[in-house]
Amino acid sequence: MTPHETQHDQPRQTRVDTTFDHFHDLYAVRTLGLKTSPVRALFAVANRPEVVSLAGGMPNIADLPLDVVGDAIRDLIGTRGTQAMQYGSGQGEPEIRERICEVMSVEGIDADPDDVTVTCGSQQALDLVTRIFCDPGDVVMAESPSYVGALNTFASYQAEVIHVGMDEQGIDPESLREKVSGARRAGKKVKFLYTIPNHSNPSGISQSEQRRRELVEEARRLDLLVIEDNPYGLLNLDGEPLPTLRSMSPDNVVYLGSFSKTFAPGFRVGWALAPRFVRERLVLAQESATLCPPVFSQFAVATYLANWDWRGQVRSFIDMYRERRDAMLSALAEHMPEGTTWTRPSGGFFVWLTMPGGLDSAAMLPRAVTELVAYTPGTAFYADGRGQENIRLSYCYPTPERIEVGVDRLAGVIRRELDIRATFGVGASSGRHPRDMGPRPDSV
Amino acid sequence: MTPHETQHDQPRQTRVDTTFDHFHDLYAVRTLGLKTSPVRALFAVANRPEVVSLAGGMPNIADLPLDVVGDAIRDLIGTRGTQAMQYGSGQGEPEIRERICEVMSVEGIDADPDDVTVTCGSQQALDLVTRIFCDPGDVVMAESPSYVGALNTFASYQAEVIHVGMDEQGIDPESLREKVSGARRAGKKVKFLYTIPNHSNPSGISQSEQRRRELVEEARRLDLLVIEDNPYGLLNLDGEPLPTLRSMSPDNVVYLGSFSKTFAPGFRVGWALAPRFVRERLVLAQESATLCPPVFSQFAVATYLANWDWRGQVRSFIDMYRERRDAMLSALAEHMPEGTTWTRPSGGFFVWLTMPGGLDSAAMLPRAVTELVAYTPGTAFYADGRGQENIRLSYCYPTPERIEVGVDRLAGVIRRELDIRATFGVGASSGRHPRDMGPRPDSV
């Protein structure tokens, strides 16, 4: 198989061309906010095997026990096929909801299967949560930077995203208070805070335990609902999981989980764990959206969890990703020009890089692809145009050797950009002070 | 397995109780339109094996070759598992989109795989189409009666449904013209006509070929987009498929298809075939909703289609459903009291029954369940409160013997209702004239 980029990792920037579209006047207002990416064509090129892609967020599932999974699913079909291939519950099947509670218990979450709603990947959980809470113009608070797929979803419901300041400990509670209060004073309805506390996509930052407590406390003071998105929670490369926000504050946290990174994304099984009343609405929204989430997938994932040492499999994923993360951090230290900074993730898939001298990562991408390396420009992860000098690098999919080659190539591209800037005096100094780590505290 | 009702077949009538809901003030306006069904508890009872359920729309998939499917999917995992379990394209995988075009060609549709968007069941196609077209207050034209799942989706996007008159030939083009013109004169934006031309859910009516031509012509005159929902198109029990609206008018028809009735619903693989510009937006909406539709399911369905005589399987489904339809029609003729009328479907899953004497099918349901028979009240299929005297009966899931027993029981329930009305003089005459068939032309 040729690794293909998931297109949703690409930055949205240009609207669909409607010049010849007969239905041009018929679309909903929200549809005008759906944007196509100008770098799609570029990513098609980036999928060539000679290009090292540090752009995608695809997990490496090559080590899964395919024979075990295949036999177990064949047996599933033989014994319970007519159930697994039939319509199911809008909330999700009881068996997988029980398994999901087992998985969450590893992170200290004590949950009732009845509070779980299964979704078509956790992206759909995000979609349904936004659907039930956000009217056009409502405000969602998000990290800076924040997950591009979430920003796309918020935009599709015409919600306004306000980025909250972050430092290397995660969200700054003081910034959260200021931004929420400011928005409320301006008459805006703040619907929730969206956060990825563990190994954030794209920053790679994890909230410290102390910061989590402060954040949860601040959210309570603000009477603010928190959406905790936790796809990478079990992929701690350096230690044990920190407590989830949900476990600290069950009443005002909606927790989103996924099997995409701990098992496989192709089944599209994610979930939302929500307070009872919210869960009721999520199920109604799910019925309206799909009738029921993928039933066969739910049976297949439950079968995998029952027939295989999934905890051991996660440990082996951790070893594999740790090697790749280390390869990337070593390569960055070895090759990157002075003034370039980056985060040092303790888990997950991503490193967030800040280039020196006001370079523009989106403008630089075609040149990088010409040099056979691809990445995701930082602007994809902001709703407000920031991130120009940032790059998200992923170490999840390529081998350590390819990562080393890719980072070396990228360093060469950045160095040449810096040379050009120095020679022609363009943007050589942006007036910004580089910091020790990527996502700078948002003090605005 | 105990056959369980799909909850989406249940009528929406009451709002979720929010008395103790802390988030009560936080929901989007659209969420207030999401209604829970008062007969949910009743349906739980109706799932008991002693109750004959004529309520659900579950296909009978017991005759699928489980061993063939199981072996083929095991081989798929062994040979292409890392691809089938990985993230995929937001539009859907190329292989299944090609297979989908093959399936559609059986009904005379000449389509390019590039114009197909794969969805999480065709319900999600409906959701995405409504998402990209409907702002709150926009108008959707629908048959009377129309599919409850579609009405739920339209309501969740705050669209207004205007029912169009029908007779035994399908939608009345004159009524369509009047209703669309009237809505436009009132300043409303009419976004599309939603129709199930083949073996409609719930009426069982199929549009005649002549009527299809008139309908398509009228839609062109009105410059009206048509959403053609066709889950039952291949399940013709008495003859060959009639031409699809899409094949008559490719430019202004969005065609929705599904494998739920011709293979199995649990994979949740449906699709939309749409004009290029609409397709582009559907893909963007899909990426925002789920990143990508269920990948493993797409590989599994494509594998089934490649490894099995699926056309022969559909023929065998047809024989099985014909026997059940015939059993239902015979039982209705034998048992139903005078004045009761019903449709005579040439395919699909449903018979639409009209009771005499102004009986109320929703009020009667608890008594029916007590008598060990369940059905779906007709009010579920109207957005405007009509359908009180109607009942949707499905013959897809129970055996012919059970169907006979169920119809006999239902006839007894109706007869007793009529006796009560006659004795106490309530509603014995509603002033309505019973007609030969169910969905009466809507002449209002």
Side-chain angles (χ1 to χ4, degrees):
Chain A
M1 131 188 210
T2 307
H4 54 290
E5 293 306 322
T6 49
Q7 300 186 321
H8 39 86
D9 279 330
Q10 300 164 33
R12 304 163 293 121
Q13 288 190 9
T14 53
R15 296 190 170 177
V16 176
D17 180 11
T18 61
T19 318
F20 300 101
D21 185 355
H22 178 69
F23 304 104
H24 177 247
D25 294 331
L26 214 57
Y27 297 113
V29 174
R30 74 173 68 82
T31 306
L32 307 178
L34 291 174
K35 289 167 186 161
T36 189
S37 165
V39 296
R40 255 174 212 251
L42 207 60
F43 272 89
V45 177
N47 285 338
R48 292 187 191 158
E50 64 269 27
V51 177
V52 175
S53 178
L54 306 172
M58 292 196 301
N60 170 29
I61 57 172
D63 298 334
L64 281 174
L66 295 181
D67 51 343
V68 174
V69 175
D71 286 347
I73 290 181
R74 183 197 51 186
D75 293 348
L76 164 71
I77 293 171
T79 55
R80 294 190 293 163
T82 53
Q83 196 180 353
M85 295 195 277
Q86 188 53 272
Y87 285 113
S89 150
Q91 184 177 0
E93 300 306 299
E95 186 177 336
I96 189 73
R97 289 191 280 111
E98 277 172 30
R99 292 278 174 193
I100 284 169
C101 289
E102 272 177 48
V103 170
M104 291 191 292
S105 72
V106 175
E107 292 190 275
I109 293 176
D110 178 24
D112 186 328
D114 199 39
D115 293 336
V116 172
T117 305
V118 181
T119 55
C120 184
S122 70
Q123 181 74 23
Q124 202 217 2
L126 205 46
D127 184 82
L128 296 181
V129 166
T130 312
R131 181 188 298 227
I132 68 169
F133 283 113
C134 291
D135 286 313
D138 284 350
V139 166
V140 170
M141 315 301 297
E143 285 155 351
S144 42
S146 185
Y147 168 50
V148 58
L151 298 181
N152 276 334
T153 298
F154 302 148
S156 81
Y157 286 96
Q158 301 161 266
E160 179 190 347
V161 171
I162 296 182
H163 288 286
V164 182
M166 275 179 86
D167 58 23
E168 66 278 14
Q169 305 288 310
I171 288 175
D172 174 4
E174 197 175 321
S175 167
L176 177 65
R177 186 168 62 246
E178 282 171 17
K179 297 286 181 86
V180 170
S181 305
R184 285 176 176 167
R185 276 196 306 274
K188 292 175 178 173
K189 288 186 186 167
V190 180
K191 290 304 176 80
F192 52 76
L193 165 69
Y194 169 73
T195 175
I196 305 178
N198 290 313
H199 324 304
S200 162
N201 178 359
S203 75
I205 287 177
S206 282
Q207 289 166 14
S208 65
E209 184 163 352
Q210 169 65 15
R211 188 58 69 82
R212 288 172 199 234
R213 300 205 182 278
E214 292 167 11
L215 184 64
V216 159
E217 201 176 309
E218 191 58 54
R220 288 200 162 274
R221 260 198 297 265
L222 289 165
D223 199 17
L224 183 66
L225 179 66
V226 177
I227 312 299
E228 176 179 30
D229 192 3
N230 192 30
Y232 311 102
L234 293 183
L235 296 180
N236 293 288
L237 309 184
D238 299 327
E240 292 304 304
L242 292 176
T244 60
L245 305 182
R246 168 52 167 71
S247 64
M248 294 176 174
S249 189
D251 292 345
N252 72 326
V253 172
V254 174
Y255 174 100
L256 312 185
S258 170
F259 288 108
S260 293
K261 279 77 185 187
T262 51
F263 175 32
F267 294 101
R268 310 310 294 125
V269 178
W271 68 90
L273 169 67
R276 189 63 53 103
F277 289 106
V278 175
R279 189 270 292 159
E280 286 181 10
R281 284 173 175 76
L282 287 174
V283 173
L284 291 173
Q286 177 66 286
E287 288 172 2
S288 158
T290 69
L291 296 184
C292 54
V295 183
F296 189 82
S297 289
Q298 296 174 64
F299 276 86
V301 174
T303 296
Y304 165 78
L305 294 172
N307 282 276
W308 187 245
D309 172 19
W310 65 268
R311 289 175 182 82
Q313 183 67 50
V314 169
R315 281 192 299 272
S316 117
F317 281 149
I318 286 173
D319 290 340
M320 179 263 300
Y321 288 129
R322 187 190 300 112
E323 193 188 354
R324 292 173 184 213
R325 184 221 32 201
D326 291 347
M328 179 166 279
L329 292 179
S330 300
L332 287 166
E334 183 176 351
H335 298 295
M336 279 294 154
E338 203 181 339
T340 311
T341 60
W342 55 88
T343 56
R344 287 163 184 83
S346 58
F349 287 181
F350 307 109
V351 168
W352 182 250
L353 183 135
T354 306
M355 299 188 292
L359 300 187
D360 181 337
S361 62
M364 195 179 79
L365 184 57
R367 294 189 276 276
V369 172
T370 308
E371 303 287 335
L372 306 181
V373 60
Y375 58 80
T376 311
T379 42
F381 307 96
Y382 285 96
D384 58 9
R386 281 183 292 164
Q388 281 204 345
E389 75 262 51
N390 296 115
I391 282 175
R392 190 193 71 177
L393 297 175
S394 57
Y395 51 80
C396 44
Y397 201 82
T399 60
E401 296 69 33
R402 297 272 290 171
I403 289 171
E404 212 277 333
V405 170
V407 169
D408 188 13
R409 289 175 184 168
L410 178 61
V413 173
I414 294 176
R415 202 168 275 120
R416 275 186 288 284
E417 288 289 299
L418 288 171
D419 287 350
I420 293 168
R421 300 286 161 131
T423 307
F424 296 99
V426 185
S429 167
S430 66
R432 291 174 182 144
H433 300 285
R435 297 187 184 231
D436 285 333
M437 47 80 60
R440 59 196 65 206
D442 178 359
S443 50
V444 184
Chain B
M1 134 189 205
T2 307
H4 54 289
E5 292 306 324
T6 49
Q7 299 186 321
H8 38 86
D9 278 331
Q10 300 165 31
R12 302 163 296 120
Q13 287 190 8
T14 52
R15 294 188 173 178
V16 176
D17 180 11
T18 61
T19 318
F20 300 103
D21 185 356
H22 178 69
F23 304 104
H24 176 248
D25 295 331
L26 214 58
Y27 297 112
V29 173
R30 74 173 68 82
T31 305
L32 307 178
L34 292 174
K35 289 166 187 164
T36 189
S37 165
V39 297
R40 254 173 214 251
L42 208 61
F43 272 88
V45 177
N47 286 337
R48 292 188 190 158
E50 64 268 28
V51 176
V52 175
S53 178
L54 306 173
M58 291 196 300
N60 169 28
I61 58 173
D63 298 335
L64 281 175
L66 294 182
D67 51 342
V68 174
V69 175
D71 286 347
I73 290 182
R74 184 196 50 184
D75 292 348
L76 164 70
I77 293 171
T79 55
R80 295 190 292 163
T82 54
Q83 196 179 354
M85 294 195 277
Q86 189 52 273
Y87 284 113
S89 150
Q91 184 177 0
E93 300 305 299
E95 186 177 337
I96 189 74
R97 288 190 280 112
E98 277 172 31
R99 293 278 174 194
I100 284 169
C101 289
E102 272 177 49
V103 171
M104 291 191 292
S105 73
V106 175
E107 291 189 277
I109 293 177
D110 178 24
D112 186 327
D114 199 39
D115 294 335
V116 172
T117 305
V118 181
T119 54
C120 184
S122 68
Q123 181 74 22
Q124 203 218 1
L126 204 47
D127 184 83
L128 296 181
V129 165
T130 312
R131 180 188 298 226
I132 69 169
F133 283 113
C134 291
D135 286 312
D138 284 350
V139 166
V140 169
M141 314 302 297
E143 285 156 350
S144 41
S146 185
Y147 167 50
V148 58
L151 298 181
N152 276 334
T153 297
F154 302 148
S156 81
Y157 285 96
Q158 301 161 266
E160 180 191 347
V161 171
I162 296 182
H163 287 286
V164 183
M166 275 179 86
D167 59 23
E168 68 278 13
Q169 305 287 311
I171 289 175
D172 174 4
E174 197 175 321
S175 168
L176 177 66
R177 186 168 61 248
E178 282 171 16
K179 296 286 181 87
V180 170
S181 305
R184 286 176 175 167
R185 273 196 308 276
K188 292 175 179 173
K189 288 186 185 168
V190 180
K191 289 304 175 80
F192 53 76
L193 165 69
Y194 170 73
T195 175
I196 305 178
N198 290 314
H199 324 303
S200 163
N201 178 358
S203 76
I205 287 176
S206 283
Q207 289 166 14
S208 65
E209 184 162 351
Q210 169 66 14
R211 187 58 68 83
R212 289 172 198 235
R213 298 203 184 280
E214 292 168 12
L215 183 63
V216 159
E217 201 176 311
E218 190 59 53
R220 288 200 160 274
R221 260 198 297 265
L222 290 166
D223 199 17
L224 183 66
L225 180 66
V226 177
I227 311 299
E228 176 179 31
D229 192 4
N230 192 31
Y232 311 102
L234 293 183
L235 295 180
N236 292 288
L237 309 184
D238 298 328
E240 291 305 303
L242 292 177
T244 60
L245 305 181
R246 166 55 167 73
S247 64
M248 293 176 174
S249 189
D251 293 345
N252 71 326
V253 172
V254 175
Y255 173 99
L256 311 186
S258 170
F259 288 108
S260 293
K261 278 77 185 186
T262 50
F263 175 32
F267 293 101
R268 308 311 293 125
V269 178
W271 69 89
L273 170 67
R276 190 63 52 102
F277 288 106
V278 175
R279 189 271 292 159
E280 285 181 10
R281 283 173 175 76
L282 288 175
V283 173
L284 292 173
Q286 178 66 286
E287 288 173 1
S288 158
T290 68
L291 297 184
C292 54
V295 183
F296 189 83
S297 289
Q298 296 174 64
F299 277 87
V301 174
T303 296
Y304 166 79
L305 294 171
N307 283 277
W308 187 245
D309 173 19
W310 64 267
R311 290 175 181 81
Q313 184 67 49
V314 169
R315 282 193 297 274
S316 118
F317 280 148
I318 285 173
D319 290 341
M320 178 262 302
Y321 289 128
R322 187 189 300 109
E323 193 188 354
R324 292 173 184 213
R325 185 225 26 207
D326 291 347
M328 179 166 278
L329 291 178
S330 300
L332 286 166
E334 183 176 351
H335 299 295
M336 280 294 154
E338 203 181 339
T340 311
T341 60
W342 54 89
T343 56
R344 287 164 184 81
S346 58
F349 287 180
F350 306 108
V351 168
W352 183 249
L353 184 135
T354 306
M355 299 188 291
L359 300 188
D360 180 337
S361 62
M364 194 178 79
L365 184 56
R367 294 188 277 275
V369 172
T370 307
E371 303 286 336
L372 306 180
V373 60
Y375 57 80
T376 310
T379 43
F381 306 96
Y382 285 97
D384 58 9
R386 282 183 291 164
Q388 281 204 344
E389 74 262 53
N390 296 115
I391 282 175
R392 189 193 70 177
L393 296 175
S394 56
Y395 51 78
C396 43
Y397 201 83
T399 60
E401 296 69 32
R402 297 272 289 172
I403 289 171
E404 212 276 334
V405 170
V407 169
D408 188 12
R409 289 176 185 167
L410 178 61
V413 173
I414 294 176
R415 202 168 274 119
R416 274 185 290 283
E417 288 291 298
L418 288 171
D419 286 350
I420 293 169
R421 301 285 163 130
T423 308
F424 296 99
V426 185
S429 167
S430 67
R432 293 175 181 142
H433 300 285
R435 298 191 181 228
D436 285 333
M437 46 82 58
R440 57 196 65 206
D442 177 0
S443 51
V444 183

